[in-house]
Amino acid sequence: MSTIESILNEARVFPPSDAFASKANIPSFQAYEALCAEAEQDYQKFWANRAREQIVWHKPFTQVLNDQKAPFFEWFGDGELNVSYNCLDRHLEKQGDKIAIIFESDDGEVIRTTYHDLHQRVCQLANALKSQNIRKGDRVVIYMPMRTEAVIAMQACARIGAIHSVVFGGFSAKSLHERIHDAGAVAVITADEQIRGGKRNPLKAIVDEALSKTDDISVRLVVIYQRTGADIEFNPARDVWWHELTKNASSQCEPEWVSAEHPLFTLYTSGSTGKPKGVQHSSAGYLLGTKVSMQWVFDYKPTDVFWCTADVGWITGHSYVAYGPLAMGATQVIFEGIPTYPHAGRFWEIIQKHQVTTFYTAPTAIRSLIKLGADLPEQFELSSLRLLGSVGEPINPEAWIWFYEKVGRSRCPIVDTWWQTETGSHTIAPMPGAVALKPGSCTFPLPGISAAVIDETGQDVENGKGGFLVIKKPFPSQVRTLWSDPERFRTTYFPDEICHGKYYLAGDSAYRDKEGYFWIMGRVDDVLNVSGHRLGTMEIESALVAHPLVAEAAVVGKPHEVKGESVIAFVVLKGQYPHGKEIEQIAHTLREWVAKEIGPIAKPDEVRFGENLPKTRSGKIMRRLLRTLAKGEEITQDISTLENPAILEQLKYPTK
Ligand code: WTA
């Protein structure tokens, strides 16, 4: 409970300035409360009104919420629309020449694309995919560098009603294979290579390896975007170059009108078992969530230059790169590289160069930039900025204050946005013209989001006490199901215990202070948050035990200054307990193995060996003891149920 105490000690409050509030979309706390009251009175009507205002419908809906098959909720079910139409076509008449994307490559090349051009390129790819018999409902895996083309690929799928599933370019062939297989994808869109921070990553070769696993007969097309011109293996039966496929394709493509509930995409995320979950989103509800949050939380203005630094491989890059900003008709920056290449001022340089007004990034990036150059922002002209945002993990007050003072020059509010792959868009976050900020708190729920903190019996806890974070009523942008696993969807998010099958269980613990502000304390399941990325401990454990040397493994998180959490693996080998040089060699082998099995982000920082793991007499691994050991703290917990106390001494020290 020390977390709660430190929260209680955080007394600083930052009310919106008059200058900001007077121009804000939601200009006062009363205006925020009025929206909440409207939603409170009749939440279905509230969302129906928003859906009519925000979305261009091909066929208007007459039904709002269908909860007959709860928790498999449906919103606006008999309406028809096309998400790509809502992101592109609707802007053409009034602002076809507006810049949609300012793309900056790893080495600093800048390419600007107008809405008109983006529309044409999306239509061309959509037609090209159709010419290859990709149809509505087909699954297309996208494994692309962070470039305009990644967004084009996603929008082209949306245009023809194909369901995309983007896999982050840092995932291994094995992870890619698992996702292609689970989705039953018929096509993969990729690039020859990716370049980040000057380093090349052979995406096409990884796709080839993923497809060489025997059971992927479903993939019949691989579209390759030529990024570097590197040599690749070309399989004429399956492979086709993006530029050749689109060369003669028409730049007009009638959108496929789909039902509001047609799946727009699935995105795999880690859960508490070894198998990643294919989070499935709808078309209309998802689009609506991204749009209202752009206006409420990002206070979107047509003159903004919006920059969300997330890769499209994560939900943040879906909602606030590929969909939300385009749905608003915004100008946005897309950056291919990393914050520290070729120098640690790259982010600040990009803000200065492109006159960014809204800058949205992750605490882990902020912390690493503080470490590499706390004074660097001062060397850049950042006066274009008016709003900052944070996402992915709790932001520690020190990082918040630095971000506020050094980057925002004490002028720009910071929106700390709590949400998840499953919620599709912001759920608890401040409206910056309305809410006084407290560093480290994501403040209050968005209107229409009935967030609450409950105990294990399902009762609301009083302010000041920690508990499970839930959302009590359905809302349009929430996850619809898990691809090919509806039962897991129900038991994970609407469990009978705690939620009585009725509330959405977020998987985080949270706390509200005496003024009702929400503070997120971290995951309550076996999910780690490493540099803002979700990793399942079970996933890493399964990877480790798949190595021929390993008999047993347990993985826990340890607080880390920059990454938030780091991965610590406790391993029992099949052979002898290792000695001397062997320790470092095997640890190295296992770290590389995990990188290959899952991806470099999952690599354990430390591997510790033992002859056994701490277990109860019934054989259950006592993870809380491992977490204490990982932190290097003394064990003060009750260990009377521990079968083998002697093992603790062995696991105490990092094997360096
Ligand atoms: C954590 C990312 C505290 C949380 C959009 C959640 C946060 C998980 C915040 C979802 C925040 C995200 N403050 N914690 N502002 N934002 N989290 O699915 O544990 O990659 O459950 O979605 O990240 O991660 P995901």
Side-chain angles (χ1 to χ4, degrees):
M1 290 294 99
S2 58
T3 325
I4 293 188
E5 272 155 32
S6 67
I7 288 167
L8 281 171
N9 292 333
E10 181 50 67
R12 290 169 285 195
V13 180
F14 296 78
S17 68
D18 289 343
F20 191 95
S22 62
K23 296 195 201 114
N25 295 340
I26 309 295
S28 64
F29 199 71
Q30 290 71 21
Y32 162 67
E33 282 182 317
L35 278 172
C36 293
E38 188 191 335
E40 193 61 35
Q41 204 175 32
D42 184 343
Y43 75 104
Q44 297 194 27
K45 192 166 149 208
F46 173 79
W47 285 121
N49 287 342
R50 300 289 97 75
R52 289 193 185 99
E53 283 159 25
Q54 302 286 342
I55 293 176
V56 181
W57 293 92
H58 180 64
K59 178 173 162 249
F61 60 91
T62 61
Q63 300 158 4
V64 183
L65 171 68
N66 177 356
D67 56 5
Q68 300 280 305
K69 289 177 272 165
F72 300 91
F73 299 105
E74 291 178 5
W75 284 90
F76 323 121
D78 62 345
E80 283 179 12
L81 78 164
N82 180 281
V83 171
S84 148
Y85 182 93
N86 271 273
C87 292
L88 301 169
D89 307 53
R90 77 175 293 179
H91 308 307
L92 292 183
E93 203 180 312
K94 283 207 187 114
Q95 52 165 56
D97 293 333
K98 182 173 177 180
I99 303 291
I101 295 174
I102 304 172
F103 168 74
E104 177 154 334
S105 76
D106 194 53
D107 60 4
E109 185 196 4
V110 176
I111 303 171
R112 293 185 170 79
T113 307
T114 62
Y115 272 91
H116 174 79
D117 293 346
L118 190 64
H119 175 258
Q120 288 211 336
R121 294 192 66 195
V122 167
C123 285
Q124 281 177 325
L125 184 65
N127 281 325
L129 293 174
K130 282 210 287 199
S131 75
Q132 298 292 312
N133 271 324
I134 310 293
R135 295 278 177 263
K136 176 179 165 189
D138 283 345
R139 273 82 62 212
V140 175
V141 163
I142 297 176
Y143 189 61
M144 290 279 284
M146 185 58 188
R147 291 179 69 91
T148 304
E149 285 72 18
V151 174
I152 293 177
M154 294 163 82
Q155 288 281 345
C157 288
R159 194 154 192 98
I160 63 173
I163 304 166
H164 61 69
S165 192
V166 183
V167 178
F168 174 60
F171 276 117
S172 68
K174 181 154 182 286
S175 298
L176 177 62
H177 167 257
E178 265 170 23
R179 286 156 173 78
I180 292 173
H181 179 67
D182 191 78
V186 297
V188 178
I189 305 180
T190 188
D192 49 1
E193 290 186 310
Q194 170 177 40
I195 305 189
R196 289 179 82 228
K199 289 204 194 94
R200 287 167 181 241
N201 182 21
L203 295 181
K204 172 61 167 57
I206 298 171
V207 170
D208 289 341
E209 192 186 334
L211 294 182
S212 68
K213 326 256 171 187
T214 50
D215 45 6
D216 278 319
I217 37 170
S218 59
V219 173
R220 46 185 166 76
L221 175 72
V222 176
V223 181
I224 314 148
Y225 169 72
Q226 193 166 43
R227 164 65 182 94
T228 63
D231 270 348
I232 53 154
E233 296 260 347
F234 194 88
N235 173 353
R238 193 189 66 194
D239 296 350
V240 37
W241 288 105
W242 173 308
H243 55 269
E244 285 178 7
L245 190 65
T246 52
K247 198 166 49 191
N248 297 319
S250 158
S251 54
Q252 290 302 319
C253 173
E254 173 71 7
E256 179 83 31
W257 304 109
V258 299
S259 114
E261 281 297 319
H262 180 70
L264 179 63
F265 65 87
T266 65
L267 180 62
Y268 286 82
T269 187
S270 295
S272 45
T273 75
K275 193 171 174 272
K277 307 182 281 197
V279 170
Q280 180 180 318
H281 278 287
S282 69
S283 293
Y286 172 79
L287 179 66
L288 179 59
T290 65
K291 283 200 76 178
V292 293
S293 52
M294 283 293 299
Q295 293 159 72
W296 289 339
V297 180
F298 288 133
D299 188 48
Y300 171 71
K301 300 280 167 15
T303 47
D304 277 337
V305 177
F306 183 84
W307 183 21
C308 162
T309 65
D311 190 282
V312 287
W314 309 108
I315 191 67
T316 310
H318 281 61
S319 306
Y320 301 108
V321 178
Y323 291 109
L326 296 180
M328 296 310 300
T331 295
Q332 69 171 319
V333 172
I334 293 184
F335 173 46
E336 185 177 37
I338 58 170
T340 49
Y341 178 87
H343 56 81
R346 186 75 189 265
F347 270 6
W348 322 128
E349 188 180 73
I350 292 178
I351 292 172
Q352 170 181 290
K353 182 150 124 200
H354 302 303
Q355 296 286 291
V356 170
T357 61
T358 311
F359 178 59
Y360 189 38
T361 195
T364 183
I366 298 169
R367 289 191 298 263
S368 72
L369 291 172
I370 295 175
K371 227 176 162 176
L372 289 170
D375 296 328
L376 273 179
E378 280 162 22
Q379 298 174 19
F380 295 85
E381 173 60 49
L382 304 181
S383 57
S384 58
L385 285 173
R386 65 177 196 93
L387 182 63
L388 304 173
S390 167
V391 59
E393 52 182 315
I395 178 164
N396 46 311
E398 296 69 37
W400 195 101
I401 294 290
W402 180 85
F403 198 30
Y404 185 77
E405 289 178 350
K406 298 282 175 166
V407 180
R409 313 276 155 93
S410 306
R411 220 174 9 85
C412 310
I414 300 178
V415 289
D416 177 354
T417 59
W418 177 85
W419 59 295
Q420 309 176 294
T421 306
E422 293 86 343
T423 67
S425 53
H426 299 156
T427 29
I428 309 181
M431 300 197 174
V435 173
L437 307 171
K438 297 186 185 182
S441 165
C442 52
T443 75
F444 298 109
L446 270 64
I449 304 291
S450 49
V453 182
I454 62 172
D455 64 19
E456 15 357 288
T457 69
Q459 298 302 309
D460 283 5
V461 300
E462 56 193 89
N463 289 356
K465 289 221 166 77
F468 299 96
L469 181 61
V470 295
I471 302 175
K472 290 189 169 176
K473 290 184 195 139
F475 56 100
S477 71
Q478 80 193 104
V479 48
R480 290 303 190 265
T481 186
L482 293 178
W483 186 261
S484 72
D485 206 348
E487 189 49 27
R488 188 174 175 199
F489 167 77
R490 217 181 48 73
T491 54
T492 309
Y493 302 114
F494 296 88
D496 291 333
E497 65 281 10
I498 306 173
C499 295
H500 307 296
K502 284 198 309 220
Y503 304 152
Y504 169 78
L505 182 70
D508 279 320
S509 61
Y511 153 88
R512 299 185 76 171
D513 67 18
K514 57 181 188 307
E515 287 166 316
Y517 279 69
F518 281 77
W519 300 79
I520 307 296
M521 296 181 339
R523 302 285 308 189
V524 282
D525 50 10
D526 295 318
V527 173
L528 307 182
N529 193 328
V530 180
S531 302
H533 301 321
R534 272 166 71 168
L535 291 171
T537 51
M538 286 278 287
E539 246 172 293
I540 308 174
E541 287 165 11
S542 335
L544 283 167
V545 295
H547 192 278
L549 288 175
V550 176
E552 214 180 348
V555 165
V556 299
K558 168 180 170 179
H560 186 280
E561 209 190 332
V562 173
K563 296 196 268 193
E565 262 186 309
S566 62
V567 177
I568 312 295
F570 294 88
V571 170
V572 182
L573 296 177
K574 281 182 185 156
Q576 293 267 306
Y577 179 74
H579 290 285
K581 268 204 179 133
E582 220 182 23
I583 295 178
E584 190 37 45
Q585 272 162 11
I586 301 177
H588 177 76
T589 308
L590 294 181
R591 294 177 72 243
E592 293 309 312
W593 171 263
V594 173
K596 182 137 181 44
E597 287 284 291
I598 302 175
I601 47 171
K603 254 192 198 181
D605 272 28
E606 274 176 34
V607 181
R608 298 191 192 178
F609 298 99
E611 276 151 13
N612 203 340
L613 297 172
K615 288 181 188 151
T616 60
R617 293 200 175 90
S618 57
K620 217 169 163 268
I621 297 171
M622 295 181 78
R623 284 170 190 279
R624 57 186 173 86
L625 295 183
L626 291 177
R627 278 192 279 269
T628 308
L629 288 175
K631 279 193 246 170
E633 288 171 3
E634 282 305 316
I635 303 239
T636 52
Q637 294 107 319
D638 175 15
I639 52 165
S640 55
T641 54
L642 186 62
E643 169 84 16
N644 47 356
I647 209 72
L648 297 178
E649 197 53 33
Q650 210 172 35
L651 294 170
K652 209 164 175 177
Y653 306 102
T655 35
K656 283 279 179 227

